[in-house]
Amino acid sequence: MNRFTKVLARLKRATRSEYHAFWRSQPVKPNTVLYEAFAGNGMLCNPEAIFRTLLAAADQQHLRHIWVLTDFDRYCETIAEFASDARVSFVKYRSLGYFRALATSGTLINNSTFPPDFGKRPGQTYLNTWHGTPLKHMGYDIPHGGLQTGNILRNFVAADYLLAANSFMTDTMYASAYKLRGIFRGVVVEEGYPRIDRQFLESGEAADARARLTAAGLAIGEREIILYAPTWKGASFHRPLDDVDELLARVAELESLIDTDRYCVLLKTHQVVHEFASLRPELNRVLVPNGLPSNLILGVTAVLVTDYSSIFFDFLPTERPILFLTPDLADYDDSRGLYLVPEDWPGPVCATVPQLADQINQLSNDPPAAWAERYRVAQERFTALDDGRASERIVDIVFRQKREGYRIRQLADDARESVLIHLGGMRPNGITTSALNLLNSIDHTRFDVSALFPLTTRASENPEQQQIHPETRMFPRVGGMNGSKLFQAERHLALRIGATGEHARNRRQDRLWDEEWARCFGASRFDYVIDFSGYSPFWATLLLHSPKAMRSIWLHNDMAADAHRAVGGRRRLLLSLTGVFRLYADFDHLVSVSPALAEINRRKLELYAAPEKFSAALNTVDFVSILTASHELAITPGEPGSARSPISAAAIESVLADPELTVFVTVGRLSPEKNQARLVRAFARIHAENAATRLLLVGDGPLYGDLVQLVAELGLGDVVTLAGLQLNPWGIMVRSSCFVLSSDYEGQPMVILEALVLGLPVVTVDFGSVGNALPLGLGLIVPQSEDGLVEGMQRFLAGTLSTRPFDYTGYNRKAINEFYPAIGAERPADTE
């Protein structure tokens, strides 16, 4: 993309954003309904069924209907069908008209998700119908699925109504797989699936449906239709596998093995695969156009063949044969997972096309009793409510506001208290480690826990995101703030100059932040809201716009010292942290990570908050993960071509394996406050006295180059190794001899706790909170100087450094029992 193209794209985005912001400031039109199915890929699914019911309802003639389509040419027949109806209009997906309709329509109906720009406004009603009862695993039931479903969860918690075809869908998908229990404040409607109404065709309607297939170039004649409707494959819904060649080969093989005078085989691809299939001319004779509703086609289908698609649930009310072609069943079940075992599926499961053909050729005979029973059980469990009138019931509930006698469920009835924790940027550092440890330590049977963090695809941050406790609901922030560019510039200026108090005093800014909270969390409510990162005025301000809650912010360090710390001659954190400090008065609790640090922060930050707001809670330590990971020595080598010196895994391994060597190790960000340079100079003196010593510096940061230069200047290139950032530093630490810390100041350095868990002797310089960082009687505290470090390492070499086992379970119990009252919650009754 050249520079002109980039500038043009930015201008388009800015125009769209400004246009959207303008219409979000205009009144909502209560009699306008916006429909979207599969991001505009046709007038389809549940939204179509509801639309047609509303259009025909005598008491709903006042409504105006807007349909979202991706391509007016592709769906010209749909547009032509309603050309004479002034109540119906169309907008292109993500056009200016689309954002106007999204901002002002009184009722929004979608079978998937609106884009990240969407935030439901007061006065709007959102009905999310979804698009099928799930057979394959969804949401958090997929490995790392929580990271991929941010926009889905955001849409769900914004909805007033969610449709469920059955209670299985409510419990398995909504409540469990998407973790909506305890957080969703709307209602789930279990009254069947509107789209299945479209399958109940009179003879004339069936003839019309067959005629539409013929008009699309499918030579079905008078033959019975076998519909092959597989789901999508691939690692991601947004990047599906192009398996069209495989599908085409299966269709051709099946046609060669069955009676094609009796049967016509048609292919219905999944929405996300259709783009591939539509480009293949050889598929024209069998490919069902995407614009034809699937359930209309099911209404004239004699035999359904599928794999893991939810379409088979829809077909159950027809009582016609369902067959499954699953050559990859074992692999698919292992990688994606299935909610129902094949033994419960309502039809034969075939591994090959010849097996499938044999089953089809036997359809003239009565089905085996086992199939019939499985079919009957599936009907009762999944489609008992699908009687052809589901759309009418949904219109009753949503548009006529009728509730009595209908199956409506609440999911917010969770007795647990709810907690939202902002984890920070999820970089590999001490705050992230502490946040992950906290999520592992919280009592999830007592608290419903949600985590907020910026969505990122950067490889260096993904491992940390994937370590989030599985019971935690994830709100990865997708998209950006809505609002006028002028108001956004005003917001940026306020943050830049530290005038963060404007978020509440300025009505425009207050509304901007309230809308962003609603965009991210919909109607969600939390009892406790925590900014565990504590370094960003943006995130701190956002959390202050939560509905009524007990709000806390963490102070991981001597925050005033951090604000004035210079890197490369610049105090890079001064403005942002000053902005955070000015928000302290709005928080209920200011929590430092040790009592000593709380006193430091209370004294230095007294201008910003009342002294009684300052408190302390020790960080927890994930000893199970540390001890488990320490068994493996897995060294991450340097990246070829990077600015870093190549890291030789073999060289580090040989140092750690040599029983004649004493290896000192330190782990941490290579930044000024860590002062690894002081440790290197002290080690130079140690090595001059004892040649059988080595020093490993694990970590990365802005001072990497300076430390490389210092090591060279001191002639220590063969005995001091900068090991870089390591995903598993514990394997290195446990094989070292002694851990050494040389920081100017710290909050509660997690790495000291990790060293103690691993049984390492610890030498640390003295800093303000060291008394809380190093539990009493463990390790050695030396003066904050080069001489002090030399003395500490000499004592270790002389064998006079006393140590004792670290009771990490008792420590964790103490730490988590400090956390609860620190956020305003009750201390557990069984606290010692």
Side-chain angles (χ1 to χ4, degrees), residues 137 141-143 308 328-338:
H137 280 179
D141 292 339
I142 305 170
Y308 318 104
D328 58 344
L329 177 59
D331 290 340
Y332 193 89
D333 193 15
D334 286 343
S335 62
R336 178 65 186 261
L338 300 166

Side-chain angles (χ1 to χ4, degrees), residues 126 152 165 260 338 349 469 490 505 588 628 666 668 735 756 815:
Y126 181 13
I152 297 175
T260 52
L338 300 166
V349 180
H469 190 280
E490 186 179 42
R505 293 191 295 267
D588 299 292
T628 301
T666 192
R735 291 165 176 79
L756 293 174

Side-chain angles (χ1 to χ4, degrees), residues 33 90 106 230 305-306 634 691 797:
V33 186
F90 300 87
V305 178
T306 186
L797 290 167

Side-chain angles (χ1 to χ4, degrees), residues 378-439:
Q379 283 180 311
E380 290 181 358
R381 185 179 182 188
F382 302 115
T383 59
L385 301 172
D386 289 301
D387 56 1
R389 300 188 60 81
S391 300
E392 276 290 344
R393 294 192 290 272
I394 302 308
V395 168
D396 263 359
I397 294 166
V398 177
F399 290 88
R400 300 186 181 110
Q401 297 297 300
K402 295 181 179 180
R403 295 283 182 96
E404 189 174 349
Y406 288 122
R407 297 168 182 83
I408 293 175
R409 292 181 56 181
Q410 303 276 351
L411 297 181
D413 54 346
D414 191 324
R416 296 176 298 170
E417 293 184 289
S418 57
V419 182
L420 174 68
I421 306 177
H422 170 234
L423 303 180
M426 299 297 286
R427 295 181 175 87
N429 57 30
I431 291 178
T432 298
T433 299
S434 299
L436 294 173
N437 292 348
L438 175 61
L439 294 178

Side-chain angles (χ1 to χ4, degrees), residues 449-759:
V449 183
S450 298
L452 168 66
F453 51 91
L455 182 66
T456 177
T457 56
R458 285 183 290 218
S460 63
E461 294 177 14
N462 280 343
E464 282 67 40
Q465 292 180 356
Q466 292 172 7
Q467 293 174 47
I468 293 174
H469 190 280
E471 290 295 318
T472 304
R473 181 187 301 106
M474 301 182 202
F475 281 100
R477 181 174 175 265
V478 296
M481 292 181 80
N482 290 314
S484 162
K485 291 297 180 185
L486 177 62
F487 297 168
Q488 296 287 6
E490 186 179 42
R491 173 179 69 84
H492 283 295
L493 178 61
L495 292 179
R496 185 167 183 80
I497 65 175
T500 47
E502 289 297 301
H503 79 96
R505 293 191 295 267
N506 183 313
R507 189 173 68 176
R508 295 187 302 273
Q509 292 299 301
D510 188 45
R511 176 182 170 185
L512 202 66
W513 286 104
D514 281 348
E515 289 187 350
E516 177 60 7
W517 172 271
R519 191 189 71 83
C520 292
F521 301 105
S524 304
R525 298 289 186 273
F526 303 95
D527 297 307
Y528 306 97
V529 172
I530 302 168
D531 183 358
F532 192 80
S533 171
Y535 276 83
S536 165
F538 174 88
W539 295 100
T541 304
L542 176 61
L543 295 182
L544 287 172
H545 282 260
S546 68
K548 185 179 179 181
M550 190 69 71
R551 303 184 183 98
S552 307
I553 187 169
W554 248 244
L555 286 63
H556 288 276
N557 223 324
D558 177 342
M559 301 302 289
D562 260 2
H564 290 86
R565 172 169 52 88
V567 178
R570 293 178 57 195
R571 292 184 292 184
R572 299 175 183 271
L573 296 179
L574 181 60
L575 284 176
S576 62
L577 279 182
T578 300
V580 173
F581 298 162
R582 288 173 177 165
L583 296 172
Y584 278 174
D586 297 328
F587 283 91
D588 299 292
H589 302 280
L590 310 176
V591 186
S592 297
V593 294
S594 72
L597 190 61
E599 289 304 317
I600 293 170
N601 284 321
R602 180 185 287 115
R603 184 179 71 254
K604 291 187 176 182
L605 301 171
E606 61 182 355
L607 293 177
Y608 298 102
E612 61 270 17
K613 288 194 173 187
F614 291 86
S615 62
L618 296 172
N619 285 320
T620 59
V621 59
D622 185 3
F623 56 85
V624 174
S625 296
I626 294 168
L627 292 171
T628 301
S630 70
H631 294 302
E632 181 181 7
L633 181 59
I635 297 172
T636 307
E639 296 183 8
S642 72
R644 302 287 183 252
S645 301
I647 297 168
S648 170
I652 296 175
E653 289 170 358
S654 66
V655 167
L656 295 172
D658 190 337
E660 302 300 320
L661 295 177
T662 298
V663 181
F664 294 98
V665 64
T666 192
V667 180
R669 179 171 165 79
L670 307 183
S671 53
E673 77 280 6
K674 302 296 184 183
N675 206 339
Q676 287 96 346
R678 177 166 55 205
L679 174 58
V680 171
R681 287 190 292 268
F683 177 77
R685 292 164 57 182
I686 292 294
H687 185 69
E689 300 172 358
N690 186 334
T693 54
R694 298 292 185 269
L695 174 63
L696 294 178
L697 281 72
V698 179
D700 200 356
L703 297 188
Y704 181 90
D706 293 347
L707 289 168
V708 169
Q709 183 177 346
L710 177 62
V711 169
E713 289 173 355
L714 295 175
L716 300 174
D718 293 333
V719 294
V720 175
T721 300
L722 276 75
L725 180 66
Q726 295 294 322
L727 299 179
N728 178 12
W730 307 296
I732 295 175
M733 292 170 68
V734 76
R735 291 165 176 79
S736 300
S737 311
C738 178
F739 178 82
V740 188
L741 191 67
S742 181
S743 299
D744 291 334
Y745 61 91
E746 290 275 2
Q748 188 196 18
M750 293 305 300
V751 69
I752 285 183
L753 294 175
E754 292 167 0
L756 293 174
V757 167
L758 295 170

